[in-house]
Amino acid sequence: MNTYLVGGSVRDQLLGSPIKDKDWVVVGSTPEEMIAKGYQPVGKDFPVFLHPKTHEEYALARTERKTAPGYRGFVVHAEPDITLEQDLARRDLTINAIAQADDGSLIDPFNGQQDLKDKVLRHVSPAFTEDPVRVLRIARFAARFDFTIADETKRLIQQMVAAKELDHLVSERVWQELVKALATDKPSLFFMALRGTGALASIFPEIDRLFGVPQVPKWHPEIDTGIHVMMVLDQAAKLSDEITVRFAALCHDLGKGTTPADVLPQHIGHEARSVELTASLCQRLRVPKDIQSLALKVAEYHTHVHLLFELRPATILKVIESLDAFRRPERFEQFMLAGEADFRGRPGYEKLAMPEKKAFKCCFLAAKAITAKPFVEAGLQGPAINEALRKQRIQSIKQVMDDIKQS
Ligand code: ATP
Ligand code: MG
């Protein structure tokens, strides 16, 4: 049997990026032989094994044939006579279909190296259309490497969209790929790549809808809401590594996509609609609770951040309480990072400091410094403790804001 390094590890090595996990393909072997050599079988749907020592993944060379729609519709054929070239031909993109032999030589039947040089994402064969996950993968690679999608591949994806192939995507996979896309340095490229092929409307209709919707034109006639949200997302990626913050930035203005004409151009009430649309997006993708809950708070209260100096102290406290920030101070930080990304996500604001940032933090710290202990010691009981605590917190927030406004 012969083994070759394949896929992402060869690609990343040629790009000079760090290699995450090594994938191997094995030609001329059988499951029985692999097991006899101590490899541990792990594949449910196809023959994949873990190396007894390195625990890296070794897959028997295989071909795949689509026989029915959906995920289970593939017939896998892995026999010792399947060649390396046949295995490479079932892969999604030319840059992912390069193999490396033990002696370091490259096997590159689809000219993946040239596409790497040209920064192009190109499908290997027309079978690309058989798996809708590939549309998400290609957009994710567009974001990760800042590559463009080849015209002929774009056309294939457009066909997939028209044939409603993307309806077969399961939510777990969409979320998985979205998380990886959000982890890139410039996640907007993922959404712009999807938009450029028409896939955005099928996969994330609530984001697609934002394009062409005027952003409050009094302030920013030059951009629409879609562009604003993309800018906010990229700013969030600069400000924080956390998926939680980045996802909240993505969702914060979703309600602007469904603003009724009579409350345009100010988008009055868009926060409540953002909450609704974020909740349904999260439900559809089964977004983890913690990520979802910050996104909902940012959708509801992001305007409050920018209007801080006009808010009553009691309202400031309400926002902080609703974040559960006294128990979980990191939630306050995440909320403010999303707010700052929103502030910076406009032309000309990218490098500015948000004036409300420090003030809001001072309010939070002043309120947090007040605890229930003295009220309990003074003999207060039951709801009276909470009442006194809130009263004092509001007083402290008022003091902070008065001091700031005077200075
Ligand atoms: P990453 O760096 O995100 O791991 P990757 O390309 O290595 O990217 P893997 O999911 O690890 O992605 O897959 C390894 C290889 O398997 C890919 O490089 C590609 O050749 C092939 N592959 C993975 N998923 C698909 C798919 N949906 N369709 C076709 N080929 C795929
Ligand atoms: Mg990989």
Side-chain angles (χ1 to χ4, degrees), residues 71-362:
Y71 280 88
R72 305 274 158 233
F74 281 103
V75 172
V76 172
H77 183 66
E79 300 294 331
D81 63 339
I82 302 286
T83 64
L84 175 64
E85 283 74 8
Q86 280 176 302
D87 180 274
L88 294 175
R90 69 162 173 89
R91 293 169 186 270
D92 53 355
L93 301 172
T94 62
I95 63 165
N96 291 339
I98 310 172
Q100 186 171 39
D102 286 344
D103 64 2
S105 62
L106 296 171
I107 300 92
D108 180 16
F110 304 100
N111 296 319
Q113 291 173 89
Q114 187 60 45
D115 284 337
L116 274 178
K117 282 194 193 102
D118 298 339
K119 296 172 162 271
V120 171
L121 301 164
R122 192 189 312 277
H123 64 280
V124 163
S125 86
F128 183 91
T129 59
E130 293 177 352
D131 176 8
V133 167
R134 292 169 187 163
V135 176
L136 289 164
R137 281 174 54 88
I138 199 171
R140 167 159 76 77
F141 291 126
R144 174 146 139 218
F145 303 129
D146 197 1
F147 280 22
T148 54
I149 302 176
D151 286 339
E152 67 258 36
T153 306
K154 244 185 219 168
R155 279 195 292 277
L156 271 193
I157 298 174
Q158 282 157 355
Q159 285 170 23
M160 294 168 79
V161 172
K164 302 210 177 298
E165 286 290 337
L166 306 188
D167 295 355
H168 297 295
L169 281 167
V170 299
S171 54
E172 285 84 355
R173 229 17 237 283
V174 178
W175 174 247
Q176 247 177 41
E177 295 294 321
L178 176 59
V179 166
K180 289 183 182 178
L182 289 175
T184 62
D185 290 343
K186 206 172 168 195
S188 67
L189 294 175
F190 171 76
F191 294 99
M192 296 316 273
L194 289 177
R195 184 157 185 262
T197 58
L200 190 61
S202 309
I203 306 175
F204 301 107
E206 48 284 271
I207 295 167
D208 188 64
R209 220 179 280 146
L210 301 176
F211 290 89
V213 172
Q215 179 67 357
V216 183
K218 183 172 69 172
W219 298 323
H220 294 290
E222 71 275 46
I223 54 167
D224 68 18
T225 302
I227 298 295
H228 165 64
V229 167
M230 293 297 110
M231 293 179 77
V232 174
L233 178 58
D234 289 343
Q235 288 295 328
K238 285 199 172 127
L239 288 165
S240 172
D241 286 340
E242 290 182 79
I243 296 301
T244 309
V245 172
R246 297 176 178 200
F247 182 71
L250 175 70
C251 297
H252 81 286
D253 262 352
L254 287 182
K256 285 183 178 167
T258 55
T259 300
D262 57 334
V263 293
L264 275 172
Q266 299 300 333
H267 290 293
I268 294 159
H270 79 274
E271 298 85 354
R273 292 190 299 281
S274 291
V275 168
E276 231 172 81
L277 287 164
T278 300
S280 72
L281 173 66
C282 287
Q283 197 177 23
R284 189 171 85 234
L285 301 187
R286 310 225 183 101
V287 175
K289 275 279 166 305
D290 219 41
I291 298 179
Q292 172 173 342
S293 100
L294 186 83
L296 290 171
K297 295 301 169 193
V298 170
E300 186 170 2
Y301 291 119
H302 64 277
T303 316
H304 284 58
V305 176
H306 311 302
L307 296 177
L308 177 70
F309 293 105
E310 291 162 41
L311 297 183
R312 288 179 299 123
T315 309
I316 299 177
L317 179 63
K318 185 185 80 178
V319 174
I320 298 170
E321 284 174 339
S322 95
L323 292 167
D324 196 16
F326 295 122
R327 283 198 313 135
R328 303 179 55 198
E330 77 282 2
R331 300 262 299 170
F332 181 79
E333 301 300 332
Q334 292 171 330
F335 176 75
M336 289 309 289
L337 286 166
E340 193 175 13
D342 187 19
F343 171 84
R344 291 190 181 184
R346 297 173 288 167
Y349 286 71
E350 293 92 336
K351 296 206 158 69
L352 298 185
M354 180 170 71
E356 294 81 8
K357 186 180 181 179
K358 208 170 143 202
F360 216 138
K361 179 84 182 259
C362 290

